[in-house]
């Protein structure tokens, strides 16, 4: 089996195994808490219904109103600032879900916008990531030169360390800012930054969604957008070093196999046709070469009929020779240099297939 197929099957098995392990861990960590929260919410719901005499239908209406009014706490979601924030989450594939289009035209335009915007965003972030890696390599070479190191070239390990440090500083700084603006704990802010920059975008914690932040805090809106774009560029630099290296391994193996096949084809020697030997015999066969040795498959005529019919019986031989040891073959002359006998040609001898004699 080819190396690429083995690697692909191994990745599939590892991925599904990782999914099973993750499901088991999340089940153990979250299922008990989920059950407790559900029981508490059901008890509170029963207390509110009994206290205010709310029917089931009225309670469902009240619940819908509360859920639908949640996005409007940030102000008007579809004015320019909110629409720009929404477009950013679409192009970066974060998809918080804090605001969604409700009209048919809006949903249709979202699909068309994403079909063009997502590839454009991926290419842009990939290009920025490459520029960040190039700048990091220049800085690393300068630092190594100033320290008089023997090897001044930036290795992949050096770039990985630099990009990992930049990613950690970006998340740490963004978490501090969001903790101040949103009132979250620092750990929750780190969690939000990580979920955002990895484009997971659960939507359980979304910035700019309270106190009319979209309309009353333009500096905070600008900071949130810059954090998303700059942070995704740093993450793209990390992916360019880590993930794409493994993604291109199959392509490199295929190119290596193709080059080896071309070299083997170029080293093969093939000669087909009839060759006249020194004794005047005609050898019909195939000359093939492998690793500098040629195998000749020929038809010679060692058996001659002893009767006047002059027939021949053929026998097939296989001879292995070096390609340089073919001096026993006579050169093939052009037709105009051959001295053919004058006069009428003699008819070929009669062939009697059932009459044979060997010497």
């Amino acid at each position: 089996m080819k190396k690429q197929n083995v690697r692909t099957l191994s990745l599939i098995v590892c991925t599904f195994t990782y999914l099973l392990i993750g499901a088991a861990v999340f089940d153990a960590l979250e299922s008990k808490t989920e059950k407790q929260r559900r029981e508490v919410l059901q008890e509170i719901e029963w207390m509110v219904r009994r206290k205010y005499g709310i029917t089931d239908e009225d309670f469902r209406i009240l619940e819908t109103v509360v859920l639908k009014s949640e996005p409007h706490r940030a102000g008007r979601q579809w004015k320019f600032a909110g629409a720009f924030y929404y477009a950013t989450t679409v192009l970066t594939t974060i998809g918080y879900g804090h605001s969604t289009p409700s009209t048919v035209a809006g949903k249709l335009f979202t699909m068309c916008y994403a079909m063009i915007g997502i590839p454009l965003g991926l290419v842009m972030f990939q290009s920025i990531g490459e520029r960040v890696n190039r700048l990091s390599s220049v800085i690393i070479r300068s630092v190594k030169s100033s320290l008089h190191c023997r090897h001044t070239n930036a290795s992949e390990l050096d770039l990985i360390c630099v990009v990992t440090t930049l990613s950690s500083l970006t998340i740490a700084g963004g978490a501090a800012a969001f903790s101040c603006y949103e009132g979250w704990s620092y750990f929750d802010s780190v969690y939000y930054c990580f979920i955002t920059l990895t484009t997971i975008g659960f939507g359980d914690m979304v910035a700019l969604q309270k106190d009319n932040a979209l309309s009353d805090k333009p500096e905070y809106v600008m900071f949130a957008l810059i954090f998303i774009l700059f942070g995704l560029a740093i993450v793209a630099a990390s992916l360019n070093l880590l993930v794409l290296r493994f993604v291109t391994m199959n392509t490199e193996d295929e190119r290596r196999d193709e080059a080896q096949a071309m070299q083997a084809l170029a080293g093969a020697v093939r000669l087909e046709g009839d060759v006249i030997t020194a004794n005047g015999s005609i050898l019909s066969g195939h000359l093939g070469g492998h690793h500098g040795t040629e195998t000749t498959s020929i038809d010679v005529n060692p058996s001659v009929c002893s009767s006047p019919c002059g027939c021949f019986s053929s026998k097939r031989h296989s001879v292995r020779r070096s390609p340089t040891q073919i001096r026993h073959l006579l050169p093939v002359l052009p037709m105009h240099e051959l001295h053919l006998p004058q006069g009428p040609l003699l008819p070929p001898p009669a062939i009697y297939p059932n009459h044979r004699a060997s010497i």
Side-chain angles (χ1 to χ4, degrees):
M1 185 178 292
K2 296 180 66 175
K3 185 185 298 183
Q4 297 91 321
N5 297 335
V6 174
R7 182 182 296 118
T8 301
L9 292 176
S10 301
L11 288 174
I12 292 174
V13 172
C14 291
T15 301
F16 277 96
T17 304
Y18 193 71
L19 289 173
L20 293 174
I21 293 173
V25 173
F26 287 129
D27 186 6
L29 293 176
E30 296 292 335
S31 60
K32 185 177 180 180
T33 303
E34 179 190 22
K35 182 179 179 181
Q36 292 176 353
R37 288 184 175 180
R38 184 175 181 179
E39 292 176 352
V40 171
L41 289 176
Q42 288 178 348
E43 185 176 354
I44 294 175
E45 177 184 348
W46 174 250
M47 290 175 57
V48 171
R49 286 183 178 185
R50 185 176 56 182
K51 181 177 181 180
Y52 298 101
I54 301 176
T55 62
D56 293 342
E57 184 178 357
D58 293 339
F59 185 83
R60 296 289 177 258
I61 294 175
L62 181 62
E63 190 176 36
T64 303
V65 170
V66 172
L67 292 176
K68 293 296 183 180
S69 62
E70 182 66 24
H72 298 285
R73 294 183 181 181
R76 301 188 64 180
Q77 293 282 355
W78 295 107
K79 298 302 286 185
F80 185 79
F84 192 86
Y85 189 47
Y86 170 79
T88 303
T89 60
V90 171
L91 187 140
T92 56
T93 69
I94 296 176
Y96 287 128
H98 63 288
S99 61
T100 55
S102 57
T103 62
V104 175
K107 295 177 181 178
L108 181 61
F109 181 74
T110 297
M111 292 187 289
C112 298
Y113 185 79
M115 290 176 62
I116 301 175
I118 291 175
L120 178 63
L122 292 176
V123 173
M124 181 195 71
F125 287 122
Q126 181 65 27
S127 179
I128 295 175
E130 291 178 356
R131 296 302 95 196
V132 170
N133 291 333
R134 181 60 62 90
L135 178 62
S136 300
S137 64
V138 171
I139 295 174
I140 291 172
R141 285 199 299 268
S142 300
V143 172
K144 286 186 175 182
S145 299
S146 62
L147 296 177
H148 304 288
C149 296
R150 180 178 301 178
H151 302 287
T152 59
N153 292 330
S155 62
E156 286 190 359
L157 182 60
D158 297 333
L159 293 175
I160 290 173
C161 292
V162 170
V163 172
T164 302
T165 302
L166 287 176
S167 301
S168 301
L169 292 176
T170 302
I171 292 176
F178 287 116
S179 177
C180 178
Y181 276 104
E182 297 289 341
W184 298 332
S185 65
Y186 188 77
F187 178 79
D188 288 341
S189 300
V190 171
Y191 167 79
Y192 164 76
C193 293
F194 181 83
I195 295 300
T196 298
L197 297 184
T198 53
T199 68
I200 297 174
F202 287 131
D204 54 342
M205 300 179 66
V206 183
L208 303 173
Q209 295 302 301
K210 64 180 183 179
D211 299 332
N212 290 325
L214 289 173
S215 56
D216 296 342
K217 298 178 180 179
E219 71 285 354
Y220 181 36
V221 176
M222 186 65 65
F223 168 78
L225 295 174
I226 293 175
F227 169 78
I228 291 175
L229 297 177
F230 178 76
L232 287 176
I234 300 299
V235 172
S238 302
L239 295 178
N240 188 27
L241 291 174
L242 298 175
V243 178
L244 294 182
R245 176 62 180 171
F246 295 97
V247 171
T248 56
M249 289 179 66
N250 283 336
T251 305
E252 293 177 357
D253 290 338
E254 291 176 356
R255 291 178 179 175
R256 189 182 303 111
D257 294 342
E258 184 178 355
Q260 292 177 356
M262 294 297 293
Q263 290 178 357
L265 183 61
V269 179
R270 185 175 181 180
L271 176 62
E272 293 182 353
D274 296 338
V275 180
I276 304 176
T277 61
N279 58 5
S281 302
I282 298 178
L283 307 182
S284 299
H286 169 73
L287 296 179
H290 183 66
H291 297 291
T293 303
E294 295 186 354
T295 302
T296 307
S297 204
I298 58 177
D299 292 332
V300 296
N301 303 321
S303 300
V304 182
C305 181
S306 59
S307 65
C309 64
C311 63
F312 295 84
S313 64
S314 64
K315 185 177 181 182
R316 190 171 185 84
H317 293 271
S318 179
V319 182
R320 184 175 294 274
R321 297 180 182 274
S322 173
T324 59
Q325 299 173 355
I326 57 175
R327 290 194 298 270
H328 64 287
L329 302 179
L330 292 178
V332 180
L333 298 177
M335 293 297 296
H336 67 274
E337 296 183 9
L338 294 178
H339 300 284
L340 299 177
Q342 301 295 328
L345 297 177
L346 296 177
I351 304 298
Y352 300 93
N354 297 328
H355 183 70
R356 301 184 53 180
S358 300
I359 58 173

